[in-house]
Amino acid sequence: MVDTLKTAPLECDVLVVGAGPVGLTLAMDLAGRGVKVVVAETRRYAEPPSVKCNHVSARTMEQFRRLGVAHKLRGAGLPADHPNDVVFRTSVTGQELTRIPIPCQRDRYTETEGPDAWWPTPEPPHRINQIYLEPILLEHTAALPGVTLLNRTQVTGFTQDGGGVQAQTLDLDTNGERTIRARYLVGCDGGSSGVRKQIGAKLEGTAVIQRVQSTFIRAPGLRALIPGKPAWSYYAVNPRRCGTVFAIDGHETWLVHNHLNPHEPEFDSVDRDWAIRQILGVGEDFRYEVISKEDWVGRRLVADRFRDRNVFIAGDAAHLWVPYAGYGMNAGIADAINLSWLLAARIQGWAGEAILDAYEAERQPITEQVSHFAMDHAQKMIRARSAVPPNLEAPDAAGATERERIGRESYDLNVQQFCCAGLNFGYYYSGSPIMAGDGEPPPAYTMGGFTPSTVPGCRAPHIWLPDGRSLYDAFGPGYTLLRLDARADTAPLVAAAQARRMPLQVLDLQAVQDMPEAYRHRLVLCRADQHVVWRGDALPADAHALVGLLCGVSAAAGSSSPPAALQAAPVCTAA
């Protein structure tokens, strides 16, 4: 007998396909904005994910702070006192070559020394595997009003019309069919995305950069064999085999990546057990258990478009690349945060349909940039692994010299990916249809470095407020106008926003000490996702034109120099 409750049609504002970290983040943010969401997922509720992402970036943690889950995540993953260092050794149990120090969970907010301890953020990065991350996001999302989770549900197809999307779904346990009517649909359904295929988007780029034979193992005896201070990540460098090992629970579970060489085209080109033992530096008598095989292919692929009318794609559905710097999942979550407030603005009725054009205009160029950073780093690592000197482990002066050299080169090459300030804080949106540039170009950034800036499109530099809150804690759900000079008149913009029902709040910052030099203007207008959209010493001559731009109902957009109506009015001072 078919359960009619499981086959009855459903209606929602947004149908999210996929309940991984990207889909769950999107659902969380939408629900927090009063949007009715249905999430369709083929797995059972709380079915464990595969052992994938091991790192949540600072930018992602800043958003999780806003969504109310950052504190939950901090308490999960590795033990609180387990070092988050990245260490390079001749094998996991061999000689140490170099170490990149990263604070443990216990010291993450208080440590002041180290390559990422200085970062200007209220939420430093967090090392946690997806098997611990995803259940927390799932539990939090499931408890939110306005969210309906449909597990063991496959979206088999959809059609679009002027009013939205009609999706067909299949219950994988009962074979029951159901129709879901949604205003918008977002495919967060991974690299083999059915949503991407149905809208006709194509992945473009480099199909294969690196093959990795990856194995999730249980080895209770390994940690006792590792000399010196433990680490979160171990890079094994020796002439026989190069690989990477991540501590998953800090006790007995480990993820072993065996980086296959260019002349090893298949996952079984190398004996798995032999490679694991060479990477760990253990003999045949060492015992471990294979929990699962997690082989993967590193690529650099970006979809040629992220949208077809009322259907969008995000995360791995839109882009795939070698997960260096942890920017596979984190880039997908950035997609979700970017898209969620745009959809909510349209559904709430204060924004025009054109506001949705900002998603592809902003996110596609960024994913192209990040994918090139990741690919370039992957190619450098491939070259480094092919150039390991044969005497690296030799117990003589020549061997010691080589170990010192490889250690120095490994640190210089990799500190930028594990402490990637540029990818966290330096990226910017240029050419957005809902930002008003002022002619100044955004500062360039690298994987590891950036220059704080309030150029429209950049992330608003972080400051701590006198009451102890982060600047971002004080941001509103829509737009926030930062006023650095009490004499700056904000009333015309407030009135224009109210007339349009655009959410806007004014935040006075005159009491802030040690204001970053980047805040050179008296007024800086920001979005909830922390990006600057306009700045000036006085409001533009036509505040309504600026509000129209921000709401996606004005054609004056996408330029680094604003039209006259959006230029800041001259500041008048008393003689």
Side-chain angles (χ1 to χ4, degrees), residues 41-102:
E41 168 59 49
T42 57
R43 292 175 294 165
R44 300 184 187 281
Y45 183 82
E47 182 178 328
S50 60
V51 189
K52 291 182 179 179
C53 183
N54 282 287
H55 169 68
V56 182
S57 72
R59 281 303 294 277
T60 298
M61 289 300 292
E62 287 175 354
Q63 296 303 324
F64 283 160
R65 178 189 181 103
R66 180 175 60 82
L67 295 172
V69 292
H71 66 288
K72 297 179 183 178
L73 295 175
R74 290 286 179 195
L78 294 171
D81 62 349
H82 192 286
N84 283 192
D85 298 357
V86 178
V87 66
F88 288 76
R89 295 177 174 276
T90 53
S91 67
V92 172
T93 60
Q95 301 178 76
E96 185 164 322
L97 304 173
T98 192
R99 180 178 290 260
I100 300 171
I102 299 174

Side-chain angles (χ1 to χ4, degrees), residues 68-419:
V69 292
H71 66 288
K72 297 179 183 178
L73 295 175
R74 290 286 179 195
L78 294 171
D81 62 349
H82 192 286
N84 283 192
D85 298 357
V86 178
V87 66
F88 288 76
R89 295 177 174 276
T90 53
S91 67
V92 172
T93 60
Q95 301 178 76
E96 185 164 322
L97 304 173
T98 192
R99 180 178 290 260
I100 300 171
I102 299 174
C104 65
Q105 177 197 131
R106 180 195 60 204
D107 303 333
R108 187 69 265 195
Y109 291 112
T110 57
E111 181 61 59
T112 58
E113 296 185 3
D116 72 350
W118 61 271
W119 283 5
T121 176
E123 290 292 342
H126 182 46
R127 266 68 186 183
I128 178 175
N129 189 269
Q130 189 169 335
I131 62 173
Y132 302 115
L133 166 75
E134 190 174 302
I136 294 173
L137 301 183
L138 176 62
E139 181 182 23
H140 186 87
T141 306
L144 294 174
V147 175
T148 300
L149 290 174
L150 300 179
N151 289 96
R152 297 294 291 158
T153 299
Q154 181 179 3
V155 174
T156 57
F158 54 83
T159 56
Q160 298 193 62
D161 55 39
V165 184
Q166 183 158 302
Q168 296 77 46
T169 69
L170 177 69
D171 186 307
L172 297 177
D173 290 328
T174 67
N175 287 325
E177 298 180 345
R178 190 205 300 258
T179 297
I180 301 177
R181 180 73 186 177
R183 191 162 173 184
Y184 300 102
L185 182 152
V186 185
C188 305
D189 49 342
S192 58
S193 171
V195 175
R196 183 188 67 238
K197 293 170 184 174
Q198 182 159 346
I199 68 173
K202 295 179 173 56
L203 293 174
E204 298 177 341
T206 306
V208 179
I209 297 173
Q210 168 81 75
R211 287 184 172 85
V212 178
Q213 187 191 70
S214 186
T215 315
F216 185 29
I217 68 171
R218 179 175 287 106
L222 180 58
R223 182 167 175 175
L225 299 178
I226 301 174
K229 184 181 177 182
W232 160 69
S233 177
Y234 300 82
Y235 272 66
V237 183
N238 64 62
R240 299 173 301 284
R241 208 73 222 164
C242 291
T244 310
V245 177
F246 292 96
I248 302 303
D249 66 358
H251 300 291
E252 63 176 19
T253 53
W254 314 80
L255 184 62
V256 183
H257 291 332
N258 170 29
H259 303 286
L260 298 180
N261 295 313
H263 64 276
E264 298 165 344
E266 306 297 335
F267 288 125
D268 59 358
S269 294
V270 178
D271 181 80
R272 189 178 299 264
D273 176 70
W274 174 84
I276 289 174
R277 294 182 185 280
Q278 297 305 313
I279 291 167
L280 299 182
V282 297
E284 292 295 327
D285 57 339
F286 180 80
R287 300 182 64 84
Y288 67 88
E289 171 195 351
V290 174
I291 300 173
S292 61
K293 296 177 181 179
E294 305 286 343
D295 302 343
W296 52 274
V297 177
R299 314 179 189 276
R300 194 203 71 78
L301 297 171
V302 178
D304 59 353
R305 55 195 175 104
F306 287 12
R307 177 191 182 189
D308 174 24
R309 293 168 288 169
N310 290 347
V311 177
F312 302 79
I313 53 175
D316 284 356
H319 43 75
L320 293 164
W321 54 69
V322 183
Y324 282 110
Y327 267 76
M329 180 196 75
N330 289 288
I333 289 175
D335 292 343
I337 294 298
N338 181 281
L339 180 58
S340 60
W341 82 271
L342 296 171
L343 290 172
R346 183 62 186 133
I347 291 167
Q348 290 164 356
W350 57 266
E353 189 71 17
I355 198 171
L356 300 177
D357 295 338
Y359 174 61
E360 183 175 300
E362 293 179 0
R363 290 304 303 166
Q364 191 178 43
I366 290 300
T367 54
E368 280 282 0
Q369 290 178 30
V370 176
S371 72
H372 280 290
F373 277 127
M375 182 179 72
D376 290 347
H377 190 83
Q379 291 174 334
K380 291 175 183 177
M381 291 295 290
I382 291 171
R383 289 194 292 270
R385 285 192 289 268
S386 65
V388 178
N391 65 334
L392 184 65
E393 299 166 290
D396 55 21
T401 298
E402 291 288 29
R403 287 190 292 275
E404 190 279 331
R405 178 180 66 84
I406 293 297
R408 183 178 64 255
E409 292 176 355
S410 297
Y411 183 95
D412 292 344
L413 176 58
N414 287 282
V415 68
Q416 61 184 322
Q417 74 147 312
F418 290 108
C419 303

